[in-house]
Amino acid sequence: MKLQEEREAIVAYCQKMITSRLTTGTGGNISICNRARGEVAMTPTGVDYFEMKADDIVIINLDGEIVEGTTKPSSEAGMHLALYKRRDDISAVVHTHSVFATTIACLRWELPPVHYLIGFSGKKVPLASYATYGTPELAQNVAKAIGNYNAVLLANHGLVAVGETLSRAFSTAEEIELVSEIYYRTKSIGEPVILSEEEMENVLRKFADYGKQ
């Protein structure tokens, strides 16, 4: 079976996406791009994450053609592929419907640096313009908005996080949900103090060595 390790990782992280309350039901989707093979392991559409097996994960190429698998790829396959084609440093994509990030997206706000952990994305989290889910227009909007950031809000929809590994992309999704909740709560009782450009430069320099032993 092609990309066995990637398939197993996707199943595990899809279940973690539910237990971490980053989505509900069969919402959201995850993929891993094997750059050496030019192939992408991707969640199938509409399959319960706790019933999903490794062989349910479909393998497609960067043109969206099914290489292996009997399931239909996620409706957001085009969005994942657009991100892989836009930046060659992206090898995993995690798309969630987490409550607080989606709340900010439904207000059609960018997420500013209210907390230093936004550094998982960059100096902010940009906003992609609205388009119907699963459409080429949405894929284009997300690929355009991502820039050099590691997360992007999808207007009236959710969050996309990217990374060099699935672990990193998932961690970014978790941390941006936390920052979104902090922003929501601070906006509810006052006007939050936003970190300066200079401070975010300091944060990003420190993040360059984050997690290295």
Side-chain angles (χ1 to χ4, degrees):
M1 188 165 63
K2 286 177 177 285
L3 306 187
Q4 176 75 20
E5 185 177 338
E6 288 89 340
R7 283 169 145 161
E8 291 175 356
I10 288 174
V11 171
Y13 273 90
C14 281
Q15 293 174 2
K16 190 176 178 182
M17 192 160 57
I18 295 289
T19 58
S20 299
R21 303 185 69 180
L22 295 182
T23 198
T24 58
T26 60
N29 30 77
I30 292 176
S31 70
I32 300 173
C33 180
N34 185 310
R35 293 283 181 179
R37 299 177 64 102
E39 295 174 345
V40 177
M42 179 168 293
T43 47
T45 187
V47 176
D48 186 292
Y49 294 142
F50 288 96
E51 295 179 0
M52 184 186 295
K53 302 293 188 292
D55 58 5
D56 291 322
I57 304 301
V58 62
I59 308 301
I60 61 176
N61 62 26
L62 290 170
D63 293 322
E65 300 166 333
I66 295 177
V67 174
E68 184 175 276
T70 58
T71 56
K72 183 178 178 182
S74 167
S75 60
E76 299 295 4
M79 179 175 71
H80 291 241
L81 295 177
L83 288 166
Y84 292 132
K85 291 176 181 178
R86 176 58 62 98
R87 278 180 32 202
D88 59 12
D89 63 315
I90 297 174
S91 293
V93 176
V94 175
H95 169 43
T96 76
H97 295 161
S98 50
V99 171
F100 289 97
T102 302
T103 298
I104 304 303
C106 288
L107 289 164
R108 300 199 178 183
W109 292 347
E110 291 187 330
L111 184 61
V114 67
H115 190 282
Y116 77 89
L117 283 172
I118 204 166
F120 271 79
S121 170
K123 295 180 182 178
K124 65 176 184 179
V125 181
L127 176 72
S129 299
Y130 180 80
T132 304
Y133 82 94
T135 60
E137 290 77 15
L138 179 60
Q140 292 166 10
N141 291 351
V142 173
K144 179 180 178 181
I146 193 78
N148 292 320
Y149 297 97
N150 293 320
V152 59
L153 295 167
L154 283 57
N156 299 90
H157 187 153
L159 174 75
V160 166
V162 302
E164 294 181 355
T165 64
L166 178 53
S167 174
R168 184 66 179 185
F170 193 89
S171 292
T172 295
E174 288 186 302
E175 299 297 353
I176 296 307
E177 175 63 4
L178 172 63
V179 177
S180 297
E181 180 174 0
I182 291 167
Y183 190 54
Y184 171 91
R185 291 181 181 277
T186 56
K187 290 288 281 187
S188 296
I189 60 174
E191 193 58 36
V193 176
I194 302 303
L195 295 174
S196 68
E197 179 87 5
E198 180 182 7
E199 176 55 19
M200 285 310 302
E201 291 283 358
N202 293 336
V203 167
L204 293 181
R205 278 194 293 269
K206 290 177 71 67
F207 266 41
D209 294 325
Y210 182 81
K212 295 180 180 178
Q213 301 298 321

mmCIF file with all atom_site columns, all heavy atoms in Angstrom, residues 69-93:
data_model
loop_
_atom_site.group_PDB
_atom_site.id
_atom_site.type_symbol
_atom_site.label_atom_id
_atom_site.label_alt_id
_atom_site.label_comp_id
_atom_site.label_asym_id
_atom_site.label_entity_id
_atom_site.label_seq_id
_atom_site.pdbx_PDB_ins_code
_atom_site.Cartn_x
_atom_site.Cartn_y
_atom_site.Cartn_z
_atom_site.occupancy
_atom_site.B_iso_or_equiv
_atom_site.pdbx_formal_charge
_atom_site.auth_seq_id
_atom_site.auth_comp_id
_atom_site.auth_asym_id
_atom_site.auth_atom_id
_atom_site.pdbx_PDB_model_num
ATOM 1   N N   . GLY A 1 69 ? -6.533  3.854  -4.051 1.00 0.00 ? 69 GLY A N   1
ATOM 2   C CA  . GLY A 1 69 ? -7.620  4.002  -3.090 1.00 0.00 ? 69 GLY A CA  1
ATOM 3   C C   . GLY A 1 69 ? -8.977  3.868  -3.760 1.00 0.00 ? 69 GLY A C   1
ATOM 4   O O   . GLY A 1 69 ? -9.127  4.139  -4.948 1.00 0.00 ? 69 GLY A O   1
ATOM 5   N N   . THR A 1 70 ? -9.949  3.445  -2.968 1.00 0.00 ? 70 THR A N   1
ATOM 6   C CA  . THR A 1 70 ? -11.306 3.236  -3.492 1.00 0.00 ? 70 THR A CA  1
ATOM 7   C C   . THR A 1 70 ? -12.272 4.312  -2.997 1.00 0.00 ? 70 THR A C   1
ATOM 8   O O   . THR A 1 70 ? -13.432 4.322  -3.380 1.00 0.00 ? 70 THR A O   1
ATOM 9   C CB  . THR A 1 70 ? -11.827 1.859  -3.069 1.00 0.00 ? 70 THR A CB  1
ATOM 10  O OG1 . THR A 1 70 ? -11.806 1.763  -1.636 1.00 0.00 ? 70 THR A OG1 1
ATOM 11  C CG2 . THR A 1 70 ? -10.958 0.746  -3.650 1.00 0.00 ? 70 THR A CG2 1
ATOM 12  N N   . THR A 1 71 ? -11.794 5.208  -2.117 1.00 0.00 ? 71 THR A N   1
ATOM 13  C CA  . THR A 1 71 ? -12.651 6.273  -1.593 1.00 0.00 ? 71 THR A CA  1
ATOM 14  C C   . THR A 1 71 ? -12.492 7.543  -2.416 1.00 0.00 ? 71 THR A C   1
ATOM 15  O O   . THR A 1 71 ? -11.536 7.696  -3.176 1.00 0.00 ? 71 THR A O   1
ATOM 16  C CB  . THR A 1 71 ? -12.293 6.572  -0.119 1.00 0.00 ? 71 THR A CB  1
ATOM 17  O OG1 . THR A 1 71 ? -10.900 6.885  -0.046 1.00 0.00 ? 71 THR A OG1 1
ATOM 18  C CG2 . THR A 1 71 ? -12.600 5.388  0.776  1.00 0.00 ? 71 THR A CG2 1
ATOM 19  N N   . LYS A 1 72 ? -13.427 8.446  -2.220 1.00 0.00 ? 72 LYS A N   1
ATOM 20  C CA  . LYS A 1 72 ? -13.385 9.737  -2.899 1.00 0.00 ? 72 LYS A CA  1
ATOM 21  C C   . LYS A 1 72 ? -12.638 10.731 -2.019 1.00 0.00 ? 72 LYS A C   1
ATOM 22  O O   . LYS A 1 72 ? -12.900 10.827 -0.820 1.00 0.00 ? 72 LYS A O   1
ATOM 23  C CB  . LYS A 1 72 ? -14.813 10.231 -3.149 1.00 0.00 ? 72 LYS A CB  1
ATOM 24  C CG  . LYS A 1 72 ? -14.906 11.540 -3.918 1.00 0.00 ? 72 LYS A CG  1
ATOM 25  C CD  . LYS A 1 72 ? -16.365 11.912 -4.140 1.00 0.00 ? 72 LYS A CD  1
ATOM 26  C CE  . LYS A 1 72 ? -16.475 13.254 -4.871 1.00 0.00 ? 72 LYS A CE  1
ATOM 27  N NZ  . LYS A 1 72 ? -17.895 13.651 -5.052 1.00 0.00 ? 72 LYS A NZ  1
ATOM 28  N N   . PRO A 1 73 ? -11.669 11.471 -2.584 1.00 0.00 ? 73 PRO A N   1
ATOM 29  C CA  . PRO A 1 73 ? -10.926 12.409 -1.739 1.00 0.00 ? 73 PRO A CA  1
ATOM 30  C C   . PRO A 1 73 ? -11.804 13.523 -1.195 1.00 0.00 ? 73 PRO A C   1
ATOM 31  O O   . PRO A 1 73 ? -12.904 13.781 -1.692 1.00 0.00 ? 73 PRO A O   1
ATOM 32  C CB  . PRO A 1 73 ? -9.855  12.973 -2.681 1.00 0.00 ? 73 PRO A CB  1
ATOM 33  C CG  . PRO A 1 73 ? -10.153 12.481 -4.040 1.00 0.00 ? 73 PRO A CG  1
ATOM 34  C CD  . PRO A 1 73 ? -11.246 11.466 -3.958 1.00 0.00 ? 73 PRO A CD  1
ATOM 35  N N   . SER A 1 74 ? -11.309 14.173 -0.162 1.00 0.00 ? 74 SER A N   1
ATOM 36  C CA  . SER A 1 74 ? -12.004 15.304 0.457  1.00 0.00 ? 74 SER A CA  1
ATOM 37  C C   . SER A 1 74 ? -12.475 16.314 -0.577 1.00 0.00 ? 74 SER A C   1
ATOM 38  O O   . SER A 1 74 ? -11.822 16.536 -1.593 1.00 0.00 ? 74 SER A O   1
ATOM 39  C CB  . SER A 1 74 ? -11.063 15.995 1.452  1.00 0.00 ? 74 SER A CB  1
ATOM 40  O OG  . SER A 1 74 ? -11.568 17.247 1.839  1.00 0.00 ? 74 SER A OG  1
ATOM 41  N N   . SER A 1 75 ? -13.597 16.949 -0.273 1.00 0.00 ? 75 SER A N   1
ATOM 42  C CA  . SER A 1 75 ? -14.123 17.997 -1.156 1.00 0.00 ? 75 SER A CA  1
ATOM 43  C C   . SER A 1 75 ? -13.170 19.176 -1.258 1.00 0.00 ? 75 SER A C   1
ATOM 44  O O   . SER A 1 75 ? -13.265 19.970 -2.184 1.00 0.00 ? 75 SER A O   1
ATOM 45  C CB  . SER A 1 75 ? -15.486 18.477 -0.644 1.00 0.00 ? 75 SER A CB  1
ATOM 46  O OG  . SER A 1 75 ? -15.372 19.011 0.670  1.00 0.00 ? 75 SER A OG  1
ATOM 47  N N   . GLU A 1 76 ? -12.239 19.289 -0.288 1.00 0.00 ? 76 GLU A N   1
ATOM 48  C CA  . GLU A 1 76 ? -11.277 20.390 -0.294 1.00 0.00 ? 76 GLU A CA  1
ATOM 49  C C   . GLU A 1 76 ? -9.923  19.974 -0.875 1.00 0.00 ? 76 GLU A C   1
ATOM 50  O O   . GLU A 1 76 ? -8.911  20.646 -0.648 1.00 0.00 ? 76 GLU A O   1
ATOM 51  C CB  . GLU A 1 76 ? -11.086 20.943 1.116  1.00 0.00 ? 76 GLU A CB  1
ATOM 52  C CG  . GLU A 1 76 ? -12.329 21.508 1.757  1.00 0.00 ? 76 GLU A CG  1
ATOM 53  C CD  . GLU A 1 76 ? -12.884 22.757 1.066  1.00 0.00 ? 76 GLU A CD  1
ATOM 54  O OE1 . GLU A 1 76 ? -12.334 23.162 0.018  1.00 0.00 ? 76 GLU A OE1 1
ATOM 55  O OE2 . GLU A 1 76 ? -13.875 23.304 1.579  1.00 0.00 ? 76 GLU A OE2 1
ATOM 56  N N   . ALA A 1 77 ? -9.894  18.893 -1.644 1.00 0.00 ? 77 ALA A N   1
ATOM 57  C CA  . ALA A 1 77 ? -8.636  18.429 -2.235 1.00 0.00 ? 77 ALA A CA  1
ATOM 58  C C   . ALA A 1 77 ? -7.958  19.538 -3.032 1.00 0.00 ? 77 ALA A C   1
ATOM 59  O O   . ALA A 1 77 ? -6.740  19.716 -2.966 1.00 0.00 ? 77 ALA A O   1
ATOM 60  C CB  . ALA A 1 77 ? -8.881  17.204 -3.111 1.00 0.00 ? 77 ALA A CB  1
ATOM 61  N N   . GLY A 1 78 ? -8.749  20.296 -3.768 1.00 0.00 ? 78 GLY A N   1
ATOM 62  C CA  . GLY A 1 78 ? -8.186  21.375 -4.589 1.00 0.00 ? 78 GLY A CA  1
ATOM 63  C C   . GLY A 1 78 ? -7.466  22.418 -3.761 1.00 0.00 ? 78 GLY A C   1
ATOM 64  O O   . GLY A 1 78 ? -6.434  22.969 -4.183 1.00 0.00 ? 78 GLY A O   1
ATOM 65  N N   . MET A 1 79 ? -7.991  22.708 -2.574 1.00 0.00 ? 79 MET A N   1
ATOM 66  C CA  . MET A 1 79 ? -7.365  23.679 -1.688 1.00 0.00 ? 79 MET A CA  1
ATOM 67  C C   . MET A 1 79 ? -6.011  23.167 -1.202 1.00 0.00 ? 79 MET A C   1
ATOM 68  O O   . MET A 1 79 ? -5.018  23.908 -1.183 1.00 0.00 ? 79 MET A O   1
ATOM 69  C CB  . MET A 1 79 ? -8.276  23.969 -0.499 1.00 0.00 ? 79 MET A CB  1
ATOM 70  C CG  . MET A 1 79 ? -7.727  24.950 0.521  1.00 0.00 ? 79 MET A CG  1
ATOM 71  S SD  . MET A 1 79 ? -8.933  25.322 1.805  1.00 0.00 ? 79 MET A SD  1
ATOM 72  C CE  . MET A 1 79 ? -8.978  23.762 2.712  1.00 0.00 ? 79 MET A CE  1
ATOM 73  N N   . HIS A 1 80 ? -5.954  21.906 -0.811 1.00 0.00 ? 80 HIS A N   1
ATOM 74  C CA  . HIS A 1 80 ? -4.695  21.313 -0.363 1.00 0.00 ? 80 HIS A CA  1
ATOM 75  C C   . HIS A 1 80 ? -3.655  21.350 -1.491 1.00 0.00 ? 80 HIS A C   1
ATOM 76  O O   . HIS A 1 80 ? -2.507  21.746 -1.271 1.00 0.00 ? 80 HIS A O   1
ATOM 77  C CB  . HIS A 1 80 ? -4.920  19.865 0.082  1.00 0.00 ? 80 HIS A CB  1
ATOM 78  C CG  . HIS A 1 80 ? -5.719  19.724 1.336  1.00 0.00 ? 80 HIS A CG  1
ATOM 79  N ND1 . HIS A 1 80 ? -5.223  19.131 2.478  1.00 0.00 ? 80 HIS A ND1 1
ATOM 80  C CD2 . HIS A 1 80 ? -6.990  20.089 1.643  1.00 0.00 ? 80 HIS A CD2 1
ATOM 81  C CE1 . HIS A 1 80 ? -6.151  19.133 3.431  1.00 0.00 ? 80 HIS A CE1 1
ATOM 82  N NE2 . HIS A 1 80 ? -7.234  19.710 2.935  1.00 0.00 ? 80 HIS A NE2 1
ATOM 83  N N   . LEU A 1 81 ? -4.067  20.946 -2.676 1.00 0.00 ? 81 LEU A N   1
ATOM 84  C CA  . LEU A 1 81 ? -3.135  20.913 -3.805 1.00 0.00 ? 81 LEU A CA  1
ATOM 85  C C   . LEU A 1 81 ? -2.645  22.310 -4.166 1.00 0.00 ? 81 LEU A C   1
ATOM 86  O O   . LEU A 1 81 ? -1.470  22.497 -4.502 1.00 0.00 ? 81 LEU A O   1
ATOM 87  C CB  . LEU A 1 81 ? -3.806  20.256 -5.014 1.00 0.00 ? 81 LEU A CB  1
ATOM 88  C CG  . LEU A 1 81 ? -4.176  18.780 -4.844 1.00 0.00 ? 81 LEU A CG  1
ATOM 89  C CD1 . LEU A 1 81 ? -4.887  18.266 -6.086 1.00 0.00 ? 81 LEU A CD1 1
ATOM 90  C CD2 . LEU A 1 81 ? -2.949  17.927 -4.547 1.00 0.00 ? 81 LEU A CD2 1
ATOM 91  N N   . ALA A 1 82 ? -3.533  23.290 -4.077 1.00 0.00 ? 82 ALA A N   1
ATOM 92  C CA  . ALA A 1 82 ? -3.139  24.672 -4.384 1.00 0.00 ? 82 ALA A CA  1
ATOM 93  C C   . ALA A 1 82 ? -2.061  25.154 -3.417 1.00 0.00 ? 82 ALA A C   1
ATOM 94  O O   . ALA A 1 82 ? -1.134  25.882 -3.808 1.00 0.00 ? 82 ALA A O   1
ATOM 95  C CB  . ALA A 1 82 ? -4.361  25.589 -4.328 1.00 0.00 ? 82 ALA A CB  1
ATOM 96  N N   . LEU A 1 83 ? -2.163  24.743 -2.151 1.00 0.00 ? 83 LEU A N   1
ATOM 97  C CA  . LEU A 1 83 ? -1.160  25.131 -1.158 1.00 0.00 ? 83 LEU A CA  1
ATOM 98  C C   . LEU A 1 83 ? 0.171   24.436 -1.433 1.00 0.00 ? 83 LEU A C   1
ATOM 99  O O   . LEU A 1 83 ? 1.233   25.060 -1.330 1.00 0.00 ? 83 LEU A O   1
ATOM 100 C CB  . LEU A 1 83 ? -1.663  24.798 0.249  1.00 0.00 ? 83 LEU A CB  1
ATOM 101 C CG  . LEU A 1 83 ? -2.790  25.701 0.751  1.00 0.00 ? 83 LEU A CG  1
ATOM 102 C CD1 . LEU A 1 83 ? -3.459  25.093 1.980  1.00 0.00 ? 83 LEU A CD1 1
ATOM 103 C CD2 . LEU A 1 83 ? -2.265  27.102 1.073  1.00 0.00 ? 83 LEU A CD2 1
ATOM 104 N N   . TYR A 1 84 ? 0.134   23.163 -1.785 1.00 0.00 ? 84 TYR A N   1
ATOM 105 C CA  . TYR A 1 84 ? 1.374   22.447 -2.097 1.00 0.00 ? 84 TYR A CA  1
ATOM 106 C C   . TYR A 1 84 ? 2.064   23.039 -3.326 1.00 0.00 ? 84 TYR A C   1
ATOM 107 O O   . TYR A 1 84 ? 3.295   23.080 -3.390 1.00 0.00 ? 84 TYR A O   1
ATOM 108 C CB  . TYR A 1 84 ? 1.094   20.959 -2.321 1.00 0.00 ? 84 TYR A CB  1
ATOM 109 C CG  . TYR A 1 84 ? 0.657   20.230 -1.067 1.00 0.00 ? 84 TYR A CG  1
ATOM 110 C CD1 . TYR A 1 84 ? -0.462  19.394 -1.067 1.00 0.00 ? 84 TYR A CD1 1
ATOM 111 C CD2 . TYR A 1 84 ? 1.366   20.370 0.123  1.00 0.00 ? 84 TYR A CD2 1
ATOM 112 C CE1 . TYR A 1 84 ? -0.861  18.723 0.072  1.00 0.00 ? 84 TYR A CE1 1
ATOM 113 C CE2 . TYR A 1 84 ? 0.967   19.704 1.280  1.00 0.00 ? 84 TYR A CE2 1
ATOM 114 C CZ  . TYR A 1 84 ? -0.145  18.885 1.244  1.00 0.00 ? 84 TYR A CZ  1
ATOM 115 O OH  . TYR A 1 84 ? -0.539  18.228 2.396  1.00 0.00 ? 84 TYR A OH  1
ATOM 116 N N   . LYS A 1 85 ? 1.277   23.488 -4.277 1.00 0.00 ? 85 LYS A N   1
ATOM 117 C CA  . LYS A 1 85 ? 1.851   24.083 -5.491 1.00 0.00 ? 85 LYS A CA  1
ATOM 118 C C   . LYS A 1 85 ? 2.353   25.503 -5.235 1.00 0.00 ? 85 LYS A C   1
ATOM 119 O O   . LYS A 1 85 ? 3.297   25.950 -5.882 1.00 0.00 ? 85 LYS A O   1
ATOM 120 C CB  . LYS A 1 85 ? 0.809   24.089 -6.611 1.00 0.00 ? 85 LYS A CB  1
ATOM 121 C CG  . LYS A 1 85 ? 0.469   22.700 -7.134 1.00 0.00 ? 85 LYS A CG  1
ATOM 122 C CD  . LYS A 1 85 ? -0.643  22.748 -8.165 1.00 0.00 ? 85 LYS A CD  1
ATOM 123 C CE  . LYS A 1 85 ? -1.003  21.352 -8.661 1.00 0.00 ? 85 LYS A CE  1
ATOM 124 N NZ  . LYS A 1 85 ? -2.128  21.375 -9.631 1.00 0.00 ? 85 LYS A NZ  1
ATOM 125 N N   . ARG A 1 86 ? 1.754   26.191 -4.287 1.00 0.00 ? 86 ARG A N   1
ATOM 126 C CA  . ARG A 1 86 ? 2.145   27.570 -3.995 1.00 0.00 ? 86 ARG A CA  1
ATOM 127 C C   . ARG A 1 86 ? 3.481   27.628 -3.259 1.00 0.00 ? 86 ARG A C   1
ATOM 128 O O   . ARG A 1 86 ? 4.290   28.515 -3.505 1.00 0.00 ? 86 ARG A O   1
ATOM 129 C CB  . ARG A 1 86 ? 1.045   28.260 -3.180 1.00 0.00 ? 86 ARG A CB  1
ATOM 130 C CG  . ARG A 1 86 ? 1.357   29.697 -2.724 1.00 0.00 ? 86 ARG A CG  1
ATOM 131 C CD  . ARG A 1 86 ? 1.673   30.627 -3.885 1.00 0.00 ? 86 ARG A CD  1
ATOM 132 N NE  . ARG A 1 86 ? 0.573   30.776 -4.805 1.00 0.00 ? 86 ARG A NE  1
ATOM 133 C CZ  . ARG A 1 86 ? -0.288  31.785 -4.810 1.00 0.00 ? 86 ARG A CZ  1
ATOM 134 N NH1 . ARG A 1 86 ? -0.164  32.750 -3.917 1.00 0.00 ? 86 ARG A NH1 1
ATOM 135 N NH2 . ARG A 1 86 ? -1.247  31.838 -5.714 1.00 0.00 ? 86 ARG A NH2 1
ATOM 136 N N   . ARG A 1 87 ? 3.695   26.675 -2.304 1.00 0.00 ? 87 ARG A N   1
ATOM 137 C CA  . ARG A 1 87 ? 4.915   26.718 -1.480 1.00 0.00 ? 87 ARG A CA  1
ATOM 138 C C   . ARG A 1 87 ? 5.509   25.332 -1.312 1.00 0.00 ? 87 ARG A C   1
ATOM 139 O O   . ARG A 1 87 ? 4.827   24.419 -0.826 1.00 0.00 ? 87 ARG A O   1
ATOM 140 C CB  . ARG A 1 87 ? 4.596   27.305 -0.098 1.00 0.00 ? 87 ARG A CB  1
ATOM 141 C CG  . ARG A 1 87 ? 4.557   28.814 -0.117 1.00 0.00 ? 87 ARG A CG  1
ATOM 142 C CD  . ARG A 1 87 ? 4.243   29.428 1.207  1.00 0.00 ? 87 ARG A CD  1
ATOM 143 N NE  . ARG A 1 87 ? 4.689   28.727 2.390  1.00 0.00 ? 87 ARG A NE  1
ATOM 144 C CZ  . ARG A 1 87 ? 4.127   28.924 3.599  1.00 0.00 ? 87 ARG A CZ  1
ATOM 145 N NH1 . ARG A 1 87 ? 3.118   29.769 3.749  1.00 0.00 ? 87 ARG A NH1 1
ATOM 146 N NH2 . ARG A 1 87 ? 4.576   28.272 4.646  1.00 0.00 ? 87 ARG A NH2 1
ATOM 147 N N   . ASP A 1 88 ? 6.764   25.196 -1.699 1.00 0.00 ? 88 ASP A N   1
ATOM 148 C CA  . ASP A 1 88 ? 7.387   23.869 -1.620 1.00 0.00 ? 88 ASP A CA  1
ATOM 149 C C   . ASP A 1 88 ? 7.873   23.510 -0.229 1.00 0.00 ? 88 ASP A C   1
ATOM 150 O O   . ASP A 1 88 ? 8.370   22.400 -0.010 1.00 0.00 ? 88 ASP A O   1
ATOM 151 C CB  . ASP A 1 88 ? 8.514   23.725 -2.638 1.00 0.00 ? 88 ASP A CB  1
ATOM 152 C CG  . ASP A 1 88 ? 9.625   24.753 -2.465 1.00 0.00 ? 88 ASP A CG  1
ATOM 153 O OD1 . ASP A 1 88 ? 9.658   25.439 -1.422 1.00 0.00 ? 88 ASP A OD1 1
ATOM 154 O OD2 . ASP A 1 88 ? 10.467  24.873 -3.387 1.00 0.00 ? 88 ASP A OD2 1
ATOM 155 N N   . ASP A 1 89 ? 7.730   24.439 0.744  1.00 0.00 ? 89 ASP A N   1
ATOM 156 C CA  . ASP A 1 89 ? 8.072   24.103 2.126  1.00 0.00 ? 89 ASP A CA  1
ATOM 157 C C   . ASP A 1 89 ? 6.893   23.487 2.871  1.00 0.00 ? 89 ASP A C   1
ATOM 158 O O   . ASP A 1 89 ? 7.035   23.061 4.017  1.00 0.00 ? 89 ASP A O   1
ATOM 159 C CB  . ASP A 1 89 ? 8.557   25.343 2.883  1.00 0.00 ? 89 ASP A CB  1
ATOM 160 C CG  . ASP A 1 89 ? 7.478   26.412 3.010  1.00 0.00 ? 89 ASP A CG  1
ATOM 161 O OD1 . ASP A 1 89 ? 6.789   26.691 2.010  1.00 0.00 ? 89 ASP A OD1 1
ATOM 162 O OD2 . ASP A 1 89 ? 7.322   26.976 4.111  1.00 0.00 ? 89 ASP A OD2 1
ATOM 163 N N   . ILE A 1 90 ? 5.737   23.432 2.240  1.00 0.00 ? 90 ILE A N   1
ATOM 164 C CA  . ILE A 1 90 ? 4.550   22.839 2.864  1.00 0.00 ? 90 ILE A CA  1
ATOM 165 C C   . ILE A 1 90 ? 4.484   21.356 2.513  1.00 0.00 ? 90 ILE A C   1
ATOM 166 O O   . ILE A 1 90 ? 4.479   20.981 1.337  1.00 0.00 ? 90 ILE A O   1
ATOM 167 C CB  . ILE A 1 90 ? 3.259   23.542 2.393  1.00 0.00 ? 90 ILE A CB  1
ATOM 168 C CG1 . ILE A 1 90 ? 3.252   25.015 2.822  1.00 0.00 ? 90 ILE A CG1 1
ATOM 169 C CG2 . ILE A 1 90 ? 2.023   22.824 2.934  1.00 0.00 ? 90 ILE A CG2 1
ATOM 170 C CD1 . ILE A 1 90 ? 2.079   25.807 2.259  1.00 0.00 ? 90 ILE A CD1 1
ATOM 171 N N   . SER A 1 91 ? 4.436   20.509 3.552  1.00 0.00 ? 91 SER A N   1
ATOM 172 C CA  . SER A 1 91 ? 4.292   19.066 3.328  1.00 0.00 ? 91 SER A CA  1
ATOM 173 C C   . SER A 1 91 ? 3.092   18.474 4.062  1.00 0.00 ? 91 SER A C   1
ATOM 174 O O   . SER A 1 91 ? 2.872   17.272 3.992  1.00 0.00 ? 91 SER A O   1
ATOM 175 C CB  . SER A 1 91 ? 5.572   18.332 3.747  1.00 0.00 ? 91 SER A CB  1
ATOM 176 O OG  . SER A 1 91 ? 6.643   18.689 2.892  1.00 0.00 ? 91 SER A OG  1
ATOM 177 N N   . ALA A 1 92 ? 2.348   19.323 4.792  1.00 0.00 ? 92 ALA A N   1
ATOM 178 C CA  . ALA A 1 92 ? 1.130   18.848 5.465  1.00 0.00 ? 92 ALA A CA  1
ATOM 179 C C   . ALA A 1 92 ? 0.152   20.006 5.603  1.00 0.00 ? 92 ALA A C   1
ATOM 180 O O   . ALA A 1 92 ? 0.563   21.156 5.813  1.00 0.00 ? 92 ALA A O   1
ATOM 181 C CB  . ALA A 1 92 ? 1.457   18.280 6.835  1.00 0.00 ? 92 ALA A CB  1
ATOM 182 N N   . VAL A 1 93 ? -1.119  19.683 5.478  1.00 0.00 ? 93 VAL A N   1
ATOM 183 C CA  . VAL A 1 93 ? -2.195  20.672 5.595  1.00 0.00 ? 93 VAL A CA  1
ATOM 184 C C   . VAL A 1 93 ? -3.250  20.123 6.552  1.00 0.00 ? 93 VAL A C   1
ATOM 185 O O   . VAL A 1 93 ? -3.679  18.974 6.421  1.00 0.00 ? 93 VAL A O   1
ATOM 186 C CB  . VAL A 1 93 ? -2.847  20.980 4.227  1.00 0.00 ? 93 VAL A CB  1
ATOM 187 C CG1 . VAL A 1 93 ? -4.031  21.931 4.387  1.00 0.00 ? 93 VAL A CG1 1
ATOM 188 C CG2 . VAL A 1 93 ? -1.816  21.560 3.262  1.00 0.00 ? 93 VAL A CG2 1
#
